[in-house]
Amino acid sequence: MSLTRRDFAGRSALTGAGVALAGSVGALATAPGALAATDVESADESEDARHHGHHGPGYGPLIPDPEGLLALPAGFSYRVLTHSGRTRLESGEFTPSNHDGTATFRGPRGTTLLVNNHELGGPRSKWKHPVPLAEGLVYDPAASGGCTVVEVRPDGRVAEWVGIAGTATNCAGGSTPWGTWLTCEETEDRAGRNGMTKDHGYVFEVDPLDRRANRAPKPIKALGRYAHEAVVVDPKRGHLYLTEDASGPNGLLYRWTPPHGFAHGRGRLRTLADDAGVLKAPKCFDSGGRFVDDLSRATKTGTVYGVDWIEVPDRDARTVPVREQFDDGDITRARKLEGMWWGDGGVYIVASFARGESPVPHDGQVWFYHPGRRTLTLKVLLGVNRDPGKDGAFDGPDNITVSPYGGLVIAEDGDGVQHLFGATERGRTYPIARNELNAGTEEKPEYSEFTGVTFSPDGRTLYANIQTPGIMLAITGPWKRQRN
């Protein structure tokens, strides 16, 4: 059923601010700890500050790392689990490079399993450490990317093996309620382009618990062929939401509705016909019924858009890329649609930045889509960071996770200094980690983005990656519920 502009305008008038406050994560300001001057510190916060010397949310200032890798607050520590070119797989090859999207799963006998994407595109000759072509796990032998599975044992030992190989530019993805990982190819390469022997731009399912289930990889073509970024599953309705990181024109958010009678489960998605279900893109309009062509139009947190869903004509993009199959006025676009996470009964969706290709520039948005209300609410808005080389301000949010301690944890993929940072439910921001691995020079430092931010199933460990060269980190410390 279509949510008409008139319906949405009427609903907005009746509910007022209640619509704008849907979800739990508030507006995010650019500077760490930023909050309106009218905020009053609670008595508990004041007492905590007197005893620990720290005011506001978070864990205090970041302390430089003598090893030159990861700055953390006092009391926190990290451990390197995998390091491309240094650690090795069970089969003997080096850990592949360019770590990206990651999720954790409970493994057997007290282990934690992580599925780790490796964002490697183009021919294998381009990379020193591509994902090895493990027998039976290869989709396209010409492609460099894929996933590895990392096992962390109770005694601290770490093992790693290939989950899927021969895929391309495995960027983000998403875990499923049934305990598997959906890895997304952020490319539109077809057979014959960039040395590929098969079409790419698909989603694949990887089972961290059953190596046999990953044999003979098959793309889930029902979810479309485009520059996939991330995917989440609505556990109640069975819908899948997917982001597209593309420009010229800007990419789209998608919703896939399963066919009638389809039951989700391990390996079930790969049994679908190529045209199973319905893939749609959003058409948004404001409370006045006006069409919104691009999400960058929203310049205030709390902005709410109603959403209709428009069917994709040719999801496999046989002749025209999916995002180019719509005319202006048909759908709503956004630049750099990136990470997603399911939480609070809906989907958190990141738009990393916008520049000249978009109507309004910004350095990051996080939206919350409410499936029942069919609304998008702007929860996070980062203004353009004028001095990204200076530590302090945050820009370029990318991978995202909902924290068991409240609010969000966000991986930064901006310019200059790179952080993991948190945002409380009221939107107060605080640093968690800073990448200190300088890949440039002292005069012109360069720092790789953070990726794959995710908590362990028990919530005690925060995992994250430094994408280049490819380092997986386990961060532990005195985690606590964040005051708003």
Side-chain angles (χ1 to χ4, degrees):
M1 181 179 68
S2 173
L3 177 66
T4 67
R5 289 177 290 178
R6 181 177 297 175
D7 291 339
F8 178 66
R11 180 185 299 178
S12 300
L14 288 171
T15 57
V19 174
L21 296 175
S24 68
V25 179
L28 178 62
T30 299
L35 190 66
T38 55
D39 180 62
V40 179
E41 182 182 286
S42 71
D44 287 343
E45 277 188 308
S46 180
E47 183 69 17
D48 184 71
R50 280 194 291 270
H51 286 292
H52 298 93
H54 168 58
H55 295 264
Y59 304 94
L62 302 180
I63 300 173
D65 180 8
E67 300 297 322
L69 183 59
L70 193 70
L72 293 168
F76 282 79
S77 62
Y78 70 87
R79 179 187 175 203
V80 174
L81 299 182
T82 69
H83 190 145
S84 181
R86 297 187 184 180
T87 56
R88 292 184 182 269
L89 307 180
E90 286 185 342
S91 50
E93 299 96 341
F94 281 118
T95 294
S97 63
N98 292 60
H99 296 24
D100 210 291
T102 307
T104 61
F105 304 86
R106 293 187 186 276
R109 299 177 295 280
T111 61
T112 296
L113 299 175
L114 300 98
V115 184
N116 184 205
N117 278 359
H118 297 276
E119 191 180 15
L120 299 162
R124 298 182 64 80
S125 59
K126 179 180 175 181
W127 303 100
K128 186 175 181 179
H129 300 298
V131 177
L133 298 176
E135 183 181 358
L137 300 176
V138 179
Y139 169 65
D140 180 353
S144 308
C147 300
T148 53
V149 181
V150 178
E151 180 184 65
V152 182
R153 297 167 183 168
D155 62 4
R157 290 182 298 163
V158 176
E160 185 179 17
W161 58 87
V162 174
I164 189 174
T167 51
T169 319
N170 297 70
C171 196
S175 59
T176 68
W178 50 91
T180 62
W181 171 250
L182 298 176
T183 182
C184 296
E185 294 187 305
E186 189 190 335
T187 181
E188 297 174 275
D189 283 350
R190 306 209 71 151
R193 182 179 178 185
N194 282 334
M196 300 297 100
T197 64
K198 291 186 177 181
D199 291 347
H200 291 269
Y202 295 115
V203 177
F204 296 78
E205 187 169 21
V206 177
D207 193 326
L209 291 165
D210 185 355
R211 302 193 196 195
R212 294 173 299 177
N214 299 326
R215 299 185 67 82
K218 181 183 178 183
I220 307 168
K221 293 188 175 182
L223 302 181
R225 195 185 70 79
Y226 46 88
H228 286 272
E229 177 70 30
V231 56
V232 298
V233 181
D234 180 338
K236 179 180 179 180
R237 300 166 182 82
H239 295 155
L240 272 67
Y241 294 89
L242 309 102
T243 48
E244 178 184 29
D245 182 2
S247 60
N250 285 345
L252 300 171
L253 172 69
Y254 298 94
R255 185 190 71 184
W256 179 78
T257 302
H260 180 72
F262 177 76
H264 282 297
R266 302 182 96 90
R268 291 281 297 141
L269 287 170
R270 65 182 290 166
T271 69
L272 289 166
D274 293 351
D275 60 352
V278 181
L279 186 68
K280 295 185 176 184
K283 182 175 184 178
C284 299
F285 43 89
D286 64 19
S287 59
R290 293 175 291 269
F291 168 68
V292 179
D293 62 336
D294 194 284
L295 292 182
S296 70
R297 296 284 186 191
T299 58
K300 293 182 179 179
T301 54
T303 297
V304 183
Y305 293 147
V307 181
D308 270 343
W309 292 95
I310 311 301
E311 187 167 353
V312 171
D314 172 21
R315 72 183 81 180
D316 202 49
R318 288 181 288 268
T319 57
V320 178
V322 172
R323 68 185 182 282
E324 296 180 23
Q325 295 174 21
F326 298 95
D327 294 330
D328 292 341
D330 287 346
I331 40 77
T332 301
R333 303 183 184 276
R335 179 73 170 103
K336 291 293 290 179
L337 286 167
E338 297 274 3
M340 292 196 291
W341 200 269
W342 182 270
D344 303 315
V347 189
Y348 289 98
I349 305 158
V350 172
S352 191
F353 65 79
R355 291 293 186 268
E357 78 293 320
S358 303
V360 182
H362 62 74
D363 258 338
Q365 296 177 326
V366 178
W367 292 85
F368 180 79
Y369 178 71
H370 192 296
R373 294 176 178 149
R374 282 180 288 170
T375 55
L376 272 171
T377 302
L378 182 60
K379 295 293 184 178
V380 171
L381 177 61
L382 300 178
V384 175
N385 186 356
R386 302 298 181 186
D387 190 5
K390 182 180 179 181
D391 193 17
F394 305 130
D395 62 87
D398 195 323
N399 287 180
I400 188 173
T401 189
V402 173
S403 170
Y405 303 96
L408 301 173
V409 176
I410 300 170
E412 191 175 13
D413 177 18
D415 295 323
V417 183
Q418 305 293 322
H419 300 88
L420 297 175
F421 65 97
T424 70
E425 293 177 1
R426 280 179 54 196
R428 303 181 75 175
T429 64
Y430 56 92
I432 296 174
R434 180 178 64 244
N435 178 11
E436 296 197 325
L437 184 62
N438 183 3
T441 65
E442 186 175 349
E443 294 76 21
K444 294 184 178 181
E446 295 180 12
Y447 300 96
S448 173
E449 67 180 280
F450 281 105
T451 64
V453 59
T454 184
F455 277 92
S456 60
D458 64 9
R460 296 179 180 178
T461 304
L462 177 66
Y463 297 99
N465 309 310
I466 295 175
Q467 185 175 66
T468 305
I471 302 173
M472 178 181 284
L473 302 158
I475 302 169
T476 54
W479 302 110
K480 64 181 181 180
R481 182 76 183 178
Q482 291 298 314
R483 295 185 177 93
N484 292 333

